[in-house]
Amino acid sequence: MLIQLEDINKTYDNGQPLHVLKGVNLSIEEGEFVSIMGASGSGKSTLLNILGILDTYDSGNYYLGGTLIKDLSETQAADYRNRMIGFIFQSYNLIGFKTAVENVELPLFYQGVPRRRRHEMAMDYLDKLGLKDWAGHYPNEMSGGQKQRVAIARALITKPKIILADEPTGALDSKTSVDIMNLLSTLNREEKMTIIVVTHESGVANVTNKIVHIRDGVIGEIEQNIRHDSSPFGADGIMK
Amino acid sequence: MRDTFHEIFSTLRQNKLRTALTGFSVAWGIFLLIALLGAGNGVLNALLGNTGMMDTSMSMSSGYTDKAYAGYQKGRYISFNSKDVDILHDESIFEMVDDVSPTLSQFDSLYVGDYYTNCYMTGAYPVLKDINKIEMVSGRFLNSTDIKENRKSIVIGSLDAESILGKGNNVSSLVGTWVRLGQFSYKVVGIFKSDESMGASYATVYVPFTTLSTIYMKGNDIPRILFSFHGMETEEESDAFEAKYLKFVNNNHFTAPDDTGTVYFWNRLQSSRQIGKVVKIIRTALWILGLLCLISGIVGISNIMLITVKERTHEFGIRKAIGAKPASIMKLIITESVVITAFFGYLGMILGLVANQVMDVTMSDKPIDAGIAQVTMFVNPYVGVDVAVKATILLIVAGTLAGMIPAWKASKVKPIEALRAER
């Protein structure tokens, strides 16, 4: 069991308490390709942030690769994020004044990998994602799809246990969205990478093998989607 | 380290104007500090040069009684006699006294060919050279044979020798020639280096004590005694010496034991120490002013760093998400702050040193004519290596301090909040 959530509760208290996660139980095996689907306000982003150790939870237990992730210092949390988790964001979150290859190198920089070595590795990953010629470009010189592929390369470079993707196609057009989802699918199939995608688009969820529905802070139905036919639009890709 | 610098330069390049403005405020602070200290040193050097710092010598002049005593009226003139001089040589009583020279003085006219001037003669003993730290330019000072044989030898100041010979002539050519002083001819035996800060309308010369005493019929009169000493560094020791000597003189001349008017003491060490105190106060004041300037620079950079941190919150969120520890974020900001202060501080320091150079060329060693005396108001307006080192250390400390609070703030922001922040 790679990920195990036991009765996770989370309440935001901004003047008025808001109970976002109401006892979430979820297990994810190694090598799974899962999507978490839900409407806005359902708590899916909060759940992803907790999975990514970007946010804390109030009660329950979260095990990642057998380790209890609870009451970590910021330094420990940073270390776990760096070694175990790769993030893909809706808005790419690349650093604007760094070139593509420098962005990809950054997680290795925080691991203390020597300069030359991490440059080589970053170039390898960019090459794999077909961006070798764009290595020296800055994010604002690239298209949305290219930026997201740089972000994927950055997420992969530390060989993490899981990839967490928060609306990875949210800022992309439908054709590019299909490309990115196919890329994630290939990574899952060929590299046995565990990938969790948070989305509200059924077309995106349909690419994944398992769909976890979340509604009002609790896990609802969990669909097995090996045949990729859960979405009425599934067969033809992603509708925008 | 190389990576950290690479990071910093890429962010600094992003914000050229901001970097320049921050840098200016730091450079300006250090520039003012160095320029101010340099100018201050210029004035202080001139002041110290004029007074002759750390002379361990003392001058005593005999005076008039303040009190009626033993049938004598008050206001009686007391002159030192040989007993007053000899007691100073007694090591069991005045252990601290080294060389002693009684002196006499007399005004007369000095003639050299067509040249004529008023002349202030000091009748001295050879040891006066050491007591007054007289530097010889040429020839010799008075010697014991001059004293023993009442020889008419004369030692002339270098400035007066220049006026006698005219500018550009070698003053040493005067040694061995004869000059007329009052009614008599004297042989020039040496030229001493004049105190250039004490310009006067008359010439200053030394002749043997015995010669002056005999020619001007001073009898056994000794109006003034100069001596050098060792130890006696504190004011208490100095006061104790004065009290002891005064008691002896009062006893020797039948004056009231508690009469303080009979001897005037002038302790050069004490007076130079007092000047030293003033100098210290001025120095401290200059440092404080300089540091205040510097503080405005530090506040400037601290302010800018705070804005920078706010602007870069989102970026720090990304860095944290992919594994940056709070310490590495702190290091990034503090190093950036130190690099800016160190680089621009260095620039400001160089400019400050250049300003000192400019001051030196335009103002230094230019005597100002203050009536009878030519006074140099400005000498060597430089700051020392020690100050430069101190300033550098100060800069690094300042840079660290300026970056500290912003860095701490940045490292404390939760990654999830940082990611949500506006770009």
Side-chain angles (χ1 to χ4, degrees), chain A residues 4 18 22 64 92 104 151 214:
Chain A
Q4 194 163 3
L18 183 64
K22 303 164 183 168
L64 174 58
Y92 326 118
V104 176
I214 184 167

Side-chain angles (χ1 to χ4, degrees), chain B residues 404-423:
Chain B
M404 205 79 99
I405 296 170
W408 185 78
K409 270 186 92 154
S411 73
K412 280 294 156 222
V413 182
K414 279 187 177 174
I416 187 71
E417 281 161 21
L419 278 173
R420 257 186 236 130
E422 272 177 64
R423 301 186 206 209

Side-chain angles (χ1 to χ4, degrees), chain A residues 111-184:
Chain A
Q111 282 186 2
V113 175
R115 192 183 179 75
R116 190 182 300 271
R117 169 109 185 84
R118 62 172 197 260
H119 186 76
E120 276 169 20
M121 285 176 73
M123 287 307 286
D124 278 354
Y125 275 91
L126 284 177
D127 193 18
K128 249 183 228 174
L129 296 175
L131 284 170
K132 202 179 178 184
D133 298 338
W134 293 83
H137 287 251
Y138 289 93
N140 60 10
E141 299 163 349
M142 290 188 271
S143 72
Q146 286 171 325
K147 280 191 259 194
Q148 197 59 297
R149 275 187 286 159
V150 172
I152 291 171
R154 184 180 65 184
L156 291 173
I157 198 160
T158 57
K159 302 189 174 67
K161 287 192 158 56
I162 46 169
I163 297 281
L164 298 178
D166 187 4
E167 306 273 12
T169 62
L172 303 174
D173 60 48
S174 60
K175 186 181 173 305
T176 320
S177 295
V178 172
D179 291 345
I180 291 296
M181 287 316 292
N182 286 341
L183 176 61
L184 290 180

Side-chain angles (χ1 to χ4, degrees), chain B residues 12 24 53-54 59 76 91 123 126 159 171 197 218 221 234 236 250 252 302 314 349 356 403 408:
Chain B
L12 291 184
F24 176 77
M53 187 70 170
M54 286 310 161
S59 158
R76 175 166 65 103
E91 287 209 5
L159 280 185
V171 289
S197 67
K218 300 283 187 181
D221 221 11
T234 64
E236 289 76 40
N250 283 336
N252 193 18
S302 199
H314 185 78
M349 206 165 78
N356 287 348
W408 185 78

Side-chain angles (χ1 to χ4, degrees), chain A residues 1-14:
Chain A
M1 201 68 66
L2 182 62
I3 285 175
Q4 194 163 3
L5 296 175
E6 293 168 355
D7 196 27
I8 296 288
N9 282 280
K10 174 74 180 177
T11 304
Y12 286 117
D13 197 358
N14 294 327

